[in-house]
Coordinates of all heavy atoms in Angstrom, one line a residue:
L86 N 90.7 177.4 -49.3 CA 89.9 176.7 -50.3 C 90.4 177.0 -51.8 O 90.4 176.2 -52.7 CB 88.4 177.0 -50.1 CG 87.8 176.5 -48.9 CD1 86.4 177.2 -48.6 CD2 87.6 175.0 -49.0
I87 N 90.6 178.3 -51.9 CA 91.1 178.8 -53.2 C 92.3 178.0 -53.7 O 92.5 177.5 -54.8 CB 91.3 180.2 -53.3 CG1 89.9 181.1 -53.2 CG2 92.0 180.8 -54.5 CD1 90.0 182.5 -52.9
K88 N 93.2 177.9 -52.8 CA 94.5 177.1 -53.1 C 94.2 175.7 -53.5 O 94.7 175.2 -54.5 CB 95.4 177.2 -51.8 CG 96.8 176.4 -52.0 CD 97.8 176.9 -51.0 CE 97.2 176.7 -49.6 NZ 98.3 177.0 -48.6
Q89 N 93.4 175.1 -52.7 CA 93.0 173.8 -53.0 C 92.3 173.6 -54.3 O 92.7 172.6 -55.1 CB 92.1 173.1 -52.0 CG 92.9 172.7 -50.6 CD 91.9 172.1 -49.6 OE1 90.8 172.6 -49.3 NE2 92.3 171.0 -49.1
Y90 N 91.4 174.5 -54.6 CA 90.7 174.3 -55.8 C 91.6 174.5 -57.1 O 91.5 173.8 -58.1 CB 89.5 175.3 -55.9 CG 88.4 175.0 -55.1 CD1 88.5 174.1 -54.0 CD2 87.1 175.6 -55.2 CE1 87.4 173.8 -53.1 CE2 86.1 175.3 -54.4 CZ 86.2 174.4 -53.4 OH 85.2 174.2 -52.6
L91 N 92.4 175.5 -57.0 CA 93.4 175.7 -58.1 C 94.4 174.6 -58.3 O 94.6 174.2 -59.4 CB 94.1 177.1 -57.8 CG 93.3 178.4 -57.9 CD1 94.1 179.5 -57.6 CD2 92.7 178.6 -59.3
D92 N 94.7 174.0 -57.2 CA 95.7 172.9 -57.2 C 95.0 171.7 -57.9 O 95.7 170.8 -58.5 CB 96.2 172.5 -55.9 CG 97.3 173.5 -55.3 OD1 97.7 174.3 -56.2 OD2 97.7 173.5 -54.2
L93 N 93.7 171.6 -57.7 CA 93.0 170.6 -58.5 C 93.0 170.6 -60.0 O 92.7 169.7 -60.7 CB 91.5 170.5 -58.0 CG 91.2 170.2 -56.6 CD1 89.8 170.3 -56.4 CD2 91.7 168.8 -56.3
G94 N 93.4 171.8 -60.4 CA 93.5 172.0 -61.9 C 92.3 172.7 -62.5 O 92.1 172.9 -63.6
I95 N 91.4 173.2 -61.5 CA 90.2 174.1 -62.0 C 90.7 175.5 -62.1 O 91.2 176.1 -61.2 CB 89.1 173.9 -60.9 CG1 88.7 172.5 -60.9 CG2 87.9 174.8 -61.4 CD1 87.7 172.2 -59.8
Q96 N 90.7 176.0 -63.3 CA 91.3 177.3 -63.6 C 90.4 178.5 -63.3 O 90.9 179.6 -63.1 CB 91.7 177.4 -65.1 CG 92.9 176.4 -65.4 CD 93.3 176.5 -67.0 OE1 92.4 176.3 -67.7 NE2 94.5 176.7 -67.2
T97 N 89.2 178.3 -63.2 CA 88.3 179.4 -63.1 C 87.4 179.2 -61.8 O 86.8 178.1 -61.6 CB 87.3 179.5 -64.3 OG1 88.0 179.8 -65.5 CG2 86.3 180.7 -64.1
L98 N 87.4 180.3 -61.0 CA 86.7 180.1 -59.6 C 85.6 181.2 -59.6 O 85.9 182.3 -60.1 CB 87.6 180.2 -58.5 CG 88.8 179.2 -58.4 CD1 89.5 179.4 -57.0 CD2 88.2 177.8 -58.5
L99 N 84.5 180.9 -59.0 CA 83.5 181.9 -58.7 C 83.3 182.1 -57.2 O 83.2 181.0 -56.5 CB 82.1 181.4 -59.3 CG 80.9 182.3 -58.9 CD1 81.0 183.6 -59.6 CD2 79.6 181.6 -59.4
V100 N 83.5 183.2 -56.8 CA 83.5 183.6 -55.3 C 82.3 184.3 -54.9 O 82.1 185.4 -55.4 CB 84.8 184.3 -54.9 CG1 84.8 184.6 -53.4 CG2 86.0 183.5 -55.4
P101 N 81.5 183.8 -53.9 CA 80.3 184.6 -53.5 C 80.5 185.7 -52.5 O 81.6 185.8 -52.0 CB 79.5 183.4 -52.8 CG 80.5 182.5 -52.2 CD 81.7 182.5 -53.3
M102 N 79.5 186.5 -52.4 CA 79.5 187.6 -51.4 C 80.7 188.5 -51.3 O 81.4 188.6 -50.4 CB 79.3 187.0 -50.0 CG 77.9 186.2 -49.9 SD 76.6 187.5 -50.0 CE 75.1 186.4 -49.7
V103 N 81.1 189.0 -52.5 CA 82.2 190.0 -52.5 C 81.7 191.4 -52.5 O 81.0 191.9 -53.4 CB 83.1 189.8 -53.8 CG1 84.2 190.8 -53.8 CG2 83.6 188.3 -53.9
D104 N 81.9 192.1 -51.4 CA 81.2 193.3 -51.1 C 82.0 194.6 -51.4 O 81.5 195.7 -51.5 CB 80.8 193.4 -49.7 CG 79.6 192.4 -49.5 OD1 79.0 191.9 -50.4 OD2 79.4 192.0 -48.3
T105 N 83.4 194.4 -51.3 CA 84.2 195.6 -51.4 C 85.4 195.4 -52.4 O 85.8 194.3 -52.7 CB 84.9 195.9 -50.0 OG1 85.8 194.9 -49.6 CG2 83.8 196.1 -49.0
P106 N 86.0 196.5 -53.0 CA 87.2 196.3 -53.8 C 88.4 195.7 -52.9 O 89.3 195.0 -53.6 CB 87.6 197.7 -54.3 CG 86.8 198.6 -53.2 CD 85.6 197.8 -52.8
E107 N 88.4 195.9 -51.7 CA 89.5 195.3 -50.9 C 89.4 193.9 -50.8 O 90.4 193.1 -51.0 CB 89.4 196.0 -49.5 CG 89.8 197.3 -49.3 CD 88.7 198.4 -49.7 OE1 87.6 197.9 -49.8 OE2 89.0 199.6 -50.0
Q108 N 88.2 193.3 -50.7 CA 88.0 191.9 -50.7 C 88.4 191.3 -52.1 O 89.0 190.3 -52.2 CB 86.5 191.6 -50.4 CG 86.1 191.8 -49.0 CD 84.7 191.6 -48.7 OE1 83.8 191.6 -49.7 NE2 84.3 191.4 -47.5
A109 N 88.1 192.0 -53.1 CA 88.3 191.6 -54.4 C 89.8 191.5 -54.7 O 90.4 190.5 -55.3 CB 87.7 192.5 -55.5
R110 N 90.5 192.6 -54.2 CA 92.0 192.6 -54.4 C 92.7 191.4 -53.6 O 93.6 190.8 -54.1 CB 92.6 193.9 -54.0 CG 92.4 195.0 -55.0 CD 93.2 196.3 -54.7 NE 92.6 197.0 -53.6 CZ 91.7 197.9 -53.7 NH1 91.3 198.3 -55.0 NH2 91.2 198.6 -52.7
E111 N 92.1 191.1 -52.5 CA 92.7 190.0 -51.7 C 92.4 188.6 -52.4 O 93.3 187.7 -52.3 CB 92.1 189.9 -50.3 CG 92.6 188.9 -49.4 CD 94.1 189.0 -49.1 OE1 94.6 190.2 -49.3 OE2 94.8 188.0 -48.8
L112 N 91.3 188.5 -53.1 CA 91.0 187.3 -53.8 C 92.0 187.2 -54.9 O 92.4 186.0 -55.3 CB 89.6 187.4 -54.3 CG 88.5 187.3 -53.2 CD1 87.2 187.4 -53.8 CD2 88.5 185.8 -52.6
V113 N 92.3 188.3 -55.6 CA 93.3 188.2 -56.7 C 94.6 187.7 -56.2 O 95.3 186.9 -56.9 CB 93.3 189.6 -57.4 CG1 94.5 189.6 -58.5 CG2 92.2 190.0 -58.0
R114 N 95.0 188.2 -55.0 CA 96.3 187.8 -54.5 C 96.3 186.3 -54.2 O 97.3 185.6 -54.4 CB 96.5 188.6 -53.2 CG 96.9 190.0 -53.4 CD 97.1 190.7 -52.1 NE 98.4 190.3 -51.5 CZ 98.5 189.8 -50.3 NH1 97.5 189.5 -49.5 NH2 99.7 189.4 -49.9
C115 N 95.1 185.7 -53.7 CA 95.0 184.3 -53.4 C 95.0 183.5 -54.6 O 95.5 182.3 -54.6 CB 93.7 184.0 -52.7 SG 93.5 184.7 -51.1
M116 N 94.7 184.1 -55.8 CA 94.6 183.3 -57.1 C 96.0 183.2 -57.7 O 96.2 182.4 -58.6 CB 93.6 183.9 -58.0 CG 92.1 184.0 -57.7 SD 91.3 182.4 -58.0 CE 91.3 182.5 -59.8
R117 N 96.9 184.1 -57.3 CA 98.2 184.2 -58.0 C 99.4 183.8 -57.3 O 99.5 183.9 -56.0 CB 98.4 185.7 -58.5 CG 97.2 186.1 -59.5 CD 97.6 187.5 -59.9 NE 96.6 187.9 -61.0 CZ 96.7 189.1 -61.6 NH1 97.5 190.0 -61.3 NH2 95.8 189.4 -62.6
Y118 N 100.4 183.3 -58.0 CA 101.7 183.0 -57.3 C 102.4 184.2 -57.1 O 102.2 185.2 -57.8 CB 102.5 182.0 -58.2 CG 102.0 180.6 -58.3 CD1 101.7 180.0 -59.5 CD2 102.0 179.8 -57.1 CE1 101.3 178.7 -59.6 CE2 101.6 178.5 -57.1 CZ 101.3 177.9 -58.4 OH 100.9 176.6 -58.4
P119 N 103.4 184.2 -56.2 CA 104.3 185.4 -56.0 C 105.0 185.6 -57.3 O 105.4 184.7 -58.1 CB 105.3 185.0 -54.9 CG 104.5 183.9 -54.1 CD 103.7 183.2 -55.2
P120 N 105.5 186.9 -57.6 CA 105.4 187.9 -56.6 C 104.0 188.8 -56.7 O 103.9 189.8 -55.9 CB 106.5 188.9 -57.1 CG 106.6 188.7 -58.6 CD 106.3 187.3 -58.8
D121 N 103.2 188.2 -57.6 CA 101.9 188.9 -57.7 C 100.8 188.5 -56.6 O 99.8 189.2 -56.6 CB 101.3 188.7 -59.1 CG 102.3 189.2 -60.1 OD1 102.8 190.2 -60.0 OD2 102.3 188.5 -61.2
G122 N 101.1 187.4 -55.9 CA 100.1 187.0 -55.0 C 100.7 186.1 -53.9 O 101.9 186.1 -53.7
I123 N 99.8 185.2 -53.3 CA 100.3 184.4 -52.1 C 100.0 182.9 -52.3 O 100.1 182.2 -51.3 CB 99.6 184.9 -50.8 CG1 98.1 184.9 -50.9 CG2 100.1 186.4 -50.5 CD1 97.4 185.2 -49.7
R124 N 99.6 182.7 -53.4 CA 99.4 181.1 -53.7 C 100.6 180.3 -53.5 O 101.7 180.8 -53.9 CB 98.9 181.0 -55.2 CG 98.5 179.5 -55.4 CD 98.1 179.4 -56.9 NE 97.9 177.9 -57.3 CZ 97.7 177.4 -58.5 NH1 97.6 178.3 -59.5 NH2 97.5 176.2 -58.7
G125 N 100.5 179.2 -52.8 CA 101.6 178.5 -52.4 C 101.9 177.4 -53.6 O 101.2 176.9 -54.3
M126 N 103.3 177.2 -53.7 CA 103.9 176.3 -54.7 C 103.7 174.8 -54.2 O 103.9 174.5 -53.1 CB 105.4 176.6 -54.9 CG 105.6 178.0 -55.3 SD 105.4 178.1 -57.1 CE 106.0 179.8 -57.4
A127 N 103.4 173.9 -55.2 CA 103.2 172.6 -55.0 C 103.2 171.8 -56.3 O 102.7 172.3 -57.2 CB 102.1 172.2 -54.1

Side-chain angles (χ1 to χ4, degrees):
L86 289 172
I87 289 170
K88 178 165 54 178
Q89 284 186 309
Y90 287 19
L91 293 176
D92 284 349
L93 293 177
I95 300 174
Q96 295 178 304
T97 302
L98 301 186
L99 177 64
V100 181
M102 296 291 179
V103 179
D104 292 338
T105 69
E107 291 78 17
Q108 290 175 341
R110 281 191 285 270
E111 184 61 22
L112 293 171
V113 172
R114 293 180 68 238
C115 292
M116 296 279 290
R117 295 182 175 184
Y118 285 123
D121 300 323
I123 59 174
R124 182 182 174 190
M126 300 280 186

